Amino acid sequence: MRIDTLVTATLTPATDRARIGLLGLATDLNSEADLRRMLPADVGLYCNRVRHANPMTLETLRSVADDLPRAGRDLLPGLTLDVVVYGCTSGTLALGEAETLALIARSKPSHYQTTPVTASLAALERLGARRVSILTPYRADVNRALGEYYASRGLEVLNVSGLDMDDDYAMTAIRPETIVEAGLRAMAPEADALFISCTALRASLSVAALETALGRPVVTSNQAIVWHALDLVGLTAPAAPGQLFDTLQEHTPQ
């Protein structure tokens, strides 16, 4: 009679240089893949979804606060992450940036927390951009709130151009070439940079073409998230698109 011995391997945590947690909307088809494409291969991205249903309005986005703590707790329980991101720009505005950051911190142990709003504001500051044009897929009330908030943070918001949409799935369906065309129309001649809001938009795929055409930096929500997370942990992203990533320098964070 043959008796085989099964050898059980000891499981050890992945050897990521950094671990980033993404709390994305349940309706977001894009941000997970977008972030993975821009992050270095040795940086881990771990995701959980926050309850949300279309249409996207300020009211429905505020209700996300009820489920955000649960989503954070269920993201790799027992492990402390390097950075945790709430992956919704308009949702951050609806809840309030400070409240969103506080909710993340209470929900999931991490060294740093960020949002697309937090990240994009830091990115525009790093680029020295004070006068900005903004392109979004949103409706007028969300655009108004976004423009007012960015202006309250010291930027001169020259214009906010929107596509009058409230469906996450439809936003992701917009072709990158269409985003380029919209970005060219949205960019004011005197603007220092163009910010394209919304993690559901495949806008990072439009950055290279827009920067070539405009001769000025372009910042998108997902691009800013990746940049800010890497900047916080002291890493670079040599394959990521845009002038923004040229400002990264590898270092040990203080």
Side-chain angles (χ1 to χ4, degrees), residues 135-136 163 165 170-186 196 201-203 205-206 209-210:
L135 172 65
T136 89
L163 302 178
M165 303 174 73
M171 293 174 189
T172 302
I174 298 174
R175 295 168 59 86
E177 305 93 295
T178 302
I179 298 173
V180 171
E181 295 168 1
L184 293 176
R185 293 193 300 270
I196 305 179
L201 278 183
R202 293 182 290 161
L205 298 173
S206 307
L210 277 168

Side-chain angles (χ1 to χ4, degrees), residues 119-130 227-228 231-232 243-249 251:
S120 60
L121 287 168
L124 292 166
E125 181 177 6
R126 180 71 60 85
L127 289 165
R130 305 308 304 165
W227 171 82
H228 197 214
D231 193 53
L232 289 169
Q243 298 177 38
L244 176 61
F245 286 101
D246 295 338
T247 69
L248 285 175
Q249 292 184 342
H251 66 279

